[in-house]
Amino acid sequence: MENKKELRKWLDDMKLSHPLLIAGPCSAETETQVLEIANELKATDTNVYRAGIWKPRTRPGNFEGVGSLALDWLNKVKKDTGILTTTEVANPNHVELALQNNIDILWIGARTTVNPFIVQEIAESLKGTDKIILIKNPVNPDLSLWLGAIERFYTSNIKNLGAIHRGFSTYEKTKYRNNPEWQIAIDLQRKLPDLPLILDPSHIAGRRDLIFDLCQTALDLNYDGLMIETHNDPDNAWSDAKQQITPEKLKNITQNLKLRKVSDDDEVYQNQLNKLRAQINLHDDQLLNILGKRMSVAKKIGALKKKNNVAVFQSKRWNQILEKMIVEGAENKLSEEFIKKVFKAIHQESINNQDEIINN
Ligand code: PEP
Ligand code: MN
């Protein structure tokens, strides 16, 4: 993508405080609820009020949103509080209604990002708009699908883009409702360094007590903003009740978060950092060198297996290596999770190499 710099411009243009804070209920329920939450949010740092009005539910029978009726309520929020507004759009009809009603920011939901057909339709319906469009990650952990959606908007000449990281579905249950898979968002930042990135800790956590730590991690990773579901009566919310927090709690969270600077020009800091980075570079070279050596031995084993017509994968040997490395890893203060990831990757590469040798 060209002109990536333009992507971050809207944050500065709108003089929005950093990090951007988007808060408000999962769903607009009633006019009173919407306005009451907005009124309570005045006492927080919220710059943008969120409320879903067309709700994509995983299963039928759940509350599907009040629909276009709530567009008026959002305009009242803006009039009463001066806070900007945002809602989710999932088709060109939603786009048309949201634009007609001057909603400031539109977001694309996780269940929409997975579908290139619908993303394309929405992108075309927004062609050339100055509106800010925020694109949530797809429900499945697929960076190229996320990037593809962003690219569709960008090629529709929509320059005020941002991404929202809301976590990814997994079959196995973890403590999160949607696994954060931070690496995917880090890779997105690496590929599009000027794309504003916002964390939605609510849909990652699925429960209130994990929200603070997720927000702090995001700030430590240099995210540009937070989108936090906030409700005046969370326990009785019509959707996502378990993860919503009160405006009071939101205030408490933002007051306790530690803001990190992007960098620091301080000379002492820069000197120390450069020295440490030189050491890291040296170790990275050593790592590559030793990995190369290990792989050439693996290739020799591949040739030997070929000569003797022995299978590439030897499960007993692999289990021995892994067990030994986990123990020795712990002695070197390396976590079991890390050791498993690293050695699985090394082992897979050896297998690929040996496989090629055996079959050629
Ligand atoms: C939401 O923000 O309320 C929502 C439906 O989110 P997601 O698309 O991330 O599931
Ligand atoms: Mn929600």
Side-chain angles (χ1 to χ4, degrees):
M1 269 195 227
E2 308 146 41
N3 299 328
K4 277 181 284 182
K5 280 245 163 350
E6 290 173 61
L7 297 175
R8 192 165 243 152
K9 219 171 126 269
W10 60 263
L11 267 178
D12 298 336
D13 283 355
M14 295 179 78
K15 298 199 174 27
L16 291 171
S17 68
H18 197 93
L20 180 71
L21 183 60
I22 305 174
C26 176
S27 308
E29 299 164 6
T30 65
E31 181 169 350
T32 318
Q33 171 248 17
V34 166
L35 294 177
E36 210 166 294
I37 296 169
N39 195 42
E40 289 180 28
L41 284 174
K42 275 199 290 191
T44 69
D45 295 329
T46 303
N47 337 80
V48 183
Y49 186 93
R50 67 148 282 156
I53 64 185
W54 298 287
K55 299 300 298 178
R57 307 311 302 177
T58 302
R59 299 184 56 201
N62 292 324
F63 174 58
E64 293 189 332
V66 293
S68 51
L69 172 73
L71 291 164
D72 254 358
W73 307 345
L74 287 177
N75 275 318
K76 282 199 183 129
V77 166
K78 192 165 161 182
K79 208 165 126 241
D80 288 2
T81 64
I83 301 175
L84 301 179
T85 56
T86 182
T87 197
E88 172 176 350
V89 289
N91 63 43
N93 179 41
H94 296 163
V95 169
E96 196 185 328
L97 288 164
L99 293 183
Q100 275 168 9
N101 286 276
N102 301 314
I103 302 299
D104 297 294
I105 297 176
L106 309 182
W107 91 76
I108 310 299
R111 287 163 198 77
T112 304
T113 310
V114 286
N115 186 334
F117 287 119
I118 192 79
V119 168
Q120 186 63 32
E121 276 182 23
I122 297 175
E124 276 167 26
S125 73
L126 280 161
K127 216 174 194 100
T129 186
D130 290 336
K131 290 274 171 198
I132 294 164
I133 312 295
L134 304 177
I135 302 155
K136 285 202 173 196
N137 66 256
V139 280
N140 51 327
D142 184 340
L143 176 60
S144 41
L145 207 48
W146 199 3
L147 279 168
I150 294 165
E151 214 172 331
R152 282 177 201 278
F153 284 96
Y154 200 69
T155 43
S156 248
N157 207 16
I158 299 159
K159 298 217 173 64
N160 295 328
L161 293 175
I164 302 177
H165 173 203
R166 54 76 80 194
F168 303 87
S169 297
T170 47
Y171 177 62
E172 274 172 47
K173 284 282 154 257
T174 70
K175 71 172 170 173
Y176 299 108
R177 177 178 173 195
N178 292 292
N179 224 22
E181 310 273 10
W182 293 102
Q183 194 56 48
I184 297 181
I186 291 169
D187 284 347
L188 180 78
Q189 265 185 322
R190 196 169 46 77
K191 283 195 190 314
L192 298 172
D194 292 303
L195 181 74
L197 180 60
I198 292 162
L199 183 81
D200 168 351
S202 308
H203 291 88
I204 293 179
R207 48 189 251 207
R208 289 163 205 148
D209 60 323
L210 301 176
I211 290 178
F212 178 84
D213 285 349
L214 286 164
C215 292
Q216 187 60 63
T217 302
L219 297 185
D220 295 346
L221 292 172
N222 234 328
Y223 279 44
D224 300 282
L226 302 166
M227 182 198 249
I228 305 178
E229 285 190 342
T230 313
H231 197 287
N232 55 337
D233 183 8
D235 285 334
N236 292 306
W238 297 2
S239 59
D240 290 352
K242 286 204 189 93
Q243 70 198 32
Q244 301 205 58
I245 58 172
T246 60
E248 189 58 33
K249 176 75 186 154
L250 177 74
K251 204 164 145 189
N252 179 278
I253 285 179
T254 54
Q255 277 170 352
N256 285 298
L257 284 171
K258 287 193 191 65
L259 277 179
R260 314 283 186 205
K261 291 177 276 187
V262 175
S263 186
D264 189 338
D265 292 334
D266 178 70
E267 212 172 310
V268 179
Y269 164 77
Q270 286 294 340
N271 276 336
Q272 286 173 345
L273 185 68
N274 287 341
K275 270 188 206 146
L276 292 169
R277 283 188 170 162
Q279 286 179 42
I280 290 276
N281 291 346
L282 179 69
H283 293 316
D284 282 348
D285 285 344
Q286 289 169 330
L287 269 174
L288 282 189
N289 192 279
I290 204 80
L291 282 172
K293 282 185 183 151
R294 190 190 192 282
M295 208 53 72
S296 57
V297 177
K299 283 181 185 163
K300 283 185 191 151
I301 295 180
L304 197 61
K305 284 175 179 165
K306 180 180 174 129
K307 203 165 143 215
N308 293 278
N309 199 25
V310 171
V312 165
F313 180 55
Q314 300 285 326
S315 70
K316 219 168 111 195
R317 164 74 177 151
W318 164 233
N319 285 332
Q320 279 167 355
I321 293 182
L322 198 57
E323 274 166 30
K324 186 162 175 278
M325 290 302 106
I326 288 170
V327 173
E328 287 179 19
E331 286 162 10
N332 285 286
K333 298 196 170 60
L334 299 169
S335 76
E336 179 170 336
E337 189 195 353
F338 174 68
I339 292 290
K340 278 186 179 159
K341 272 195 202 146
V342 169
F343 277 88
K344 276 185 188 163
I346 292 175
H347 184 241
Q348 188 58 53
E349 186 67 10
S350 289
I351 287 189
N352 294 349
N353 275 296
Q354 293 188 357
D355 215 37
E356 211 176 294
I357 291 168
I358 279 209
N359 290 307
N360 277 326

